[in-house]
Amino acid sequence: MAPTIESGGALESNPALLSNMWAYAKTWYAARMTSNADALALADPDEQKAALKQAEQDRRTAQKRADAYASTAQWIADVADDVSLLDVLHGWCSSCFLVNEHRKSNRPVGQVPVYVCQGCGSPTLPCVAIGCDNLAVRDRGAIRFPQFCAEHRHDIPGFEKSQGKYGELHEYEEFLQYEKPDLDKASKIAVGSVVVLGVAVPLALLAAPAVGGAIGSLGVFGGFSGAAATSHGLALLGGGSLAAGGLGVAGGTAVVTAVGAAVGGALGASVANAYLREDKSFGIELLRPGNGGVPVIFASGFLTEGKGEKWAGWKAIINERYADSPVYRVRWGAKELRDFGILGASAVGKIGGVAATKTAAAVGTKAGAKFLGNVVGPTMIAADLAKNPWHVAKSRADKTGVIVGDLLARTNADSYVLIGHSLGARVMVVAAETLGTKPDGPRIQAAHLLGAAIGAKSNWDALTAGVDSGVFCYHSTNDNVLKYVYKTAQAGETAAGLVGFSPVATKLQNIDVSADVKTHFDYLDNVQLA
């Protein structure tokens, strides 16, 4: 629920101020509502002690974030309350990524100048790059380092190009090339003491005027003000534990709501850019040019990334259904998938984690279930979500889906077919949801999800909104990876790849392939696309 403004004078129309104030209220409330009840209900003393410790840490983290939002709101109010009507600059804003009027704040003599963007309300100041007319985000306090705009910080490829399209999907790399040098990085290296700044990065990002409130208002925390977001803030979504200033497991899919209609625009470009800087393995590779068919994009998932031939096991299943289509492969999360693949290695000695998991998952016995539940399970439900291989891989899948959705929104194609297996299916679900927020973007002709590593029950309106033909969920009750590993990691949640989506809608079709698919690794060889 968004806040209601009763009065506020000139400040009530400042999105950055309102966003940070609302974030402060939510996190302040969260700090006081975190209870010890669940911890005290645990029978095991060791588990109870750990849970109580975690609850206290969550309270401290929420209060720390609340304090940061309060300080940011006060800073914005101080500079925005008294601005000049005569001393005005016009240029691209590094907070809302739009060309706006920036009015100078009447500050005491001797202070570094502060301007206020009349679009998003964020404090700004001129970029120090020679000949640059853009405005940089103005942080609180004294300025110890030169301030550069989003272009010269490499937050976005370029202000103007980030608003537009680039043609065909395989041209995305040229679109992502930066137009200006990274002067921010060069200046900090020259100063030499940037390490000190790096220690407080999460809090510094949260405290940035255009960032703090936006993050605090995302997803489980409530609404979102697009004008108050930047790539820095959105990059924290799903990245890092709560203690580190991130949103932990809650943030992954929330970014879809955050980006919203900004997909295909500068804000979407900043999100994609921030995520791509995290995942150097990301890429979209054209495997076949096609002959007039609807472009097909596929993504593999955990434990199933093929080696050798680029198509791996995908060629037969795609050729049978989409023989004339150009085919693209999404490469993503190499490190996350590798870490997840070896999660059981230390527990099973010389037996590799992937091999052991495959063996146990393929055997529908109590012994297999015991291995998956007692060895793999605890590894994936570690207290520190930032180091938990399952949650890190899942978060990466969500982020990858956002990148794919934004890149598709910039192409000239009318429609696409999305195909994914396991966490790759999760990538495609998020991509479809992201693309569905852009009214004039390409449509999804069909989405084929094999053994989808995503919860079975939800409101799937966002998934089907941008789909013309249907979303086909191929599920198998024999999939022990989803039955045991996924369920353990997700605290009892059932995967759609195990039982199908619910509730079923007109465009959402569940296809039971249990008779042909006996393990999590059998889908590509035994499924015929609808």
Side-chain angles (χ1 to χ4, degrees):
M1 182 178 70
T4 300
I5 306 169
E6 295 183 354
S7 63
L11 296 180
E12 67 181 85
S13 60
N14 186 303
L17 174 61
L18 297 177
S19 183
N20 277 276
M21 290 177 66
W22 186 230
Y24 163 72
K26 294 243 175 179
T27 49
W28 181 91
Y29 181 79
R32 281 146 186 80
M33 291 302 292
T34 301
S35 172
N36 291 335
D38 291 339
L40 295 174
L42 296 173
D44 188 292
D46 292 334
E47 291 182 358
Q48 186 181 90
K49 183 178 180 181
L52 286 170
K53 182 178 180 181
Q54 184 62 49
E56 178 58 30
Q57 181 179 347
D58 290 344
R59 278 191 291 269
R60 289 198 303 268
T61 299
Q63 186 59 55
K64 191 174 183 180
R65 295 177 65 203
D67 293 341
Y69 297 137
S71 297
T72 300
Q74 184 62 61
W75 156 246
I76 296 172
D78 288 343
V79 299
D81 188 42
D82 182 16
V83 295
S84 172
L85 299 179
L86 301 177
D87 198 340
V88 177
L89 297 177
H90 290 82
W92 289 97
C93 174
S94 295
S95 175
C96 58
F97 307 110
L98 297 173
V99 175
N100 279 312
E101 182 180 90
H102 299 254
R103 297 179 183 175
K104 189 175 183 180
S105 176
N106 295 316
R107 306 297 292 165
V109 177
Q111 288 194 7
V112 176
V114 184
Y115 289 78
V116 178
C117 175
Q118 298 305 293
C120 67
S122 297
T124 61
L125 78 169
C127 176
V128 299
I130 298 175
C132 182
D133 296 325
N134 303 329
L135 280 295
V137 172
R138 168 68 155 89
D139 293 327
R140 296 199 312 267
I143 301 298
R144 291 182 293 172
F145 300 102
Q147 300 295 291
F148 295 97
C149 67
E151 277 188 342
H152 284 112
R153 287 174 52 90
H154 280 189
D155 292 340
I156 55 175
F159 282 111
E160 291 192 44
K161 73 185 300 187
S162 294
Q163 306 280 357
K165 295 188 174 183
Y166 57 80
E168 295 187 38
L169 184 56
H170 57 268
E171 298 172 4
Y172 81 96
E173 289 182 301
E174 182 178 346
F175 164 76
L176 291 174
Q177 290 179 357
Y178 298 108
E179 294 186 337
K180 303 289 177 65
D182 188 350
L183 299 181
D184 184 65
K185 180 179 179 181
S187 69
K188 289 180 179 178
I189 291 175
V191 171
S193 59
V194 68
V195 176
V196 177
L197 181 68
V199 174
V201 162
L203 210 39
L205 298 182
L206 288 174
V211 176
I215 294 180
S217 301
L218 279 174
V220 295
F221 295 112
F224 175 74
S225 175
T230 71
S231 60
H232 297 299
L234 292 174
L236 293 176
L237 289 172
S241 64
L242 293 174
L247 286 183
V249 68
T253 349
V255 74
V256 177
T257 305
V259 178
V263 167
L267 179 55
S270 73
V271 176
N273 180 70
Y275 287 173
L276 287 171
R277 292 173 78 168
E278 292 180 6
D279 184 6
K280 301 299 183 183
S281 70
F282 178 86
I284 299 179
E285 184 178 9
L286 176 63
L287 299 179
R288 183 180 69 194
N291 189 28
V294 177
V296 172
I297 306 169
F298 72 85
S300 298
F302 65 76
L303 307 179
T304 57
E305 187 68 20
K307 296 181 179 180
E309 186 184 4
K310 295 177 182 179
W311 284 67
W314 288 97
K315 181 177 284 188
I317 191 174
I318 292 177
N319 280 346
E320 184 178 19
R321 179 65 179 82
Y322 299 102
D324 296 326
S325 295
V327 179
Y328 295 89
R329 172 197 176 195
V330 177
R331 291 180 282 105
W332 67 284
K335 179 181 184 301
E336 288 79 10
L337 296 178
R338 182 177 67 250
D339 290 346
F340 183 84
I342 63 172
L343 61 89
S346 61
V348 295
K350 295 182 180 180
I351 302 177
V354 176
T357 305
K358 284 185 177 181
T359 301
V363 181
T365 64
K366 291 183 179 179
K370 184 176 181 181
F371 170 84
L372 291 166
N374 296 339
V375 176
V376 180
T379 308
M380 292 191 300
I381 54 177
D384 188 352
L385 296 182
K387 298 179 181 178
N388 181 319
W390 160 250
H391 286 291
V392 172
K394 187 181 74 168
S395 174
R396 174 62 62 202
D398 291 340
K399 294 179 179 183
T400 303
V402 173
I403 297 173
V404 172
D406 183 73
L407 292 178
L408 294 183
R410 299 177 185 279
T411 65
N412 294 325
D414 294 325
S415 60
Y416 288 94
V417 171
L418 306 182
I419 308 176
H421 172 249
S422 194
L423 273 177
R426 188 184 187 95
V427 169
M428 294 310 176
V429 167
V430 177
E433 290 178 338
T434 304
L435 188 59
T437 64
K438 188 173 180 59
D440 58 344
R443 302 286 295 176
I444 302 300
Q445 185 192 76
H448 300 276
L449 311 174
L450 292 73
I454 194 168
K457 296 182 179 180
S458 184
N459 181 339
W460 301 111
D461 291 346
L463 173 58
T464 58
V467 177
D468 290 329
S469 176
V471 176
F472 304 95
C473 176
Y474 306 84
H475 61 95
S476 171
T477 55
N478 301 316
D479 190 332
N480 283 350
V481 167
L482 296 180
K483 184 182 296 183
Y484 298 114
V485 178
Y486 180 91
K487 196 163 189 175
T488 299
Q490 287 296 113
E493 179 182 81
T494 300
L498 187 67
V499 299
F501 286 113
S502 65
V504 178
T506 303
K507 294 182 181 179
L508 200 59
Q509 300 185 37
N510 293 320
I511 301 177
D512 190 343
V513 293
S514 301
D516 301 309
V517 175
K518 302 304 180 183
T519 78
H520 191 63
F521 315 98
D522 293 344
Y523 290 90
L524 299 187
D525 295 330
N526 296 282
V527 168
Q528 185 177 29
L529 299 181

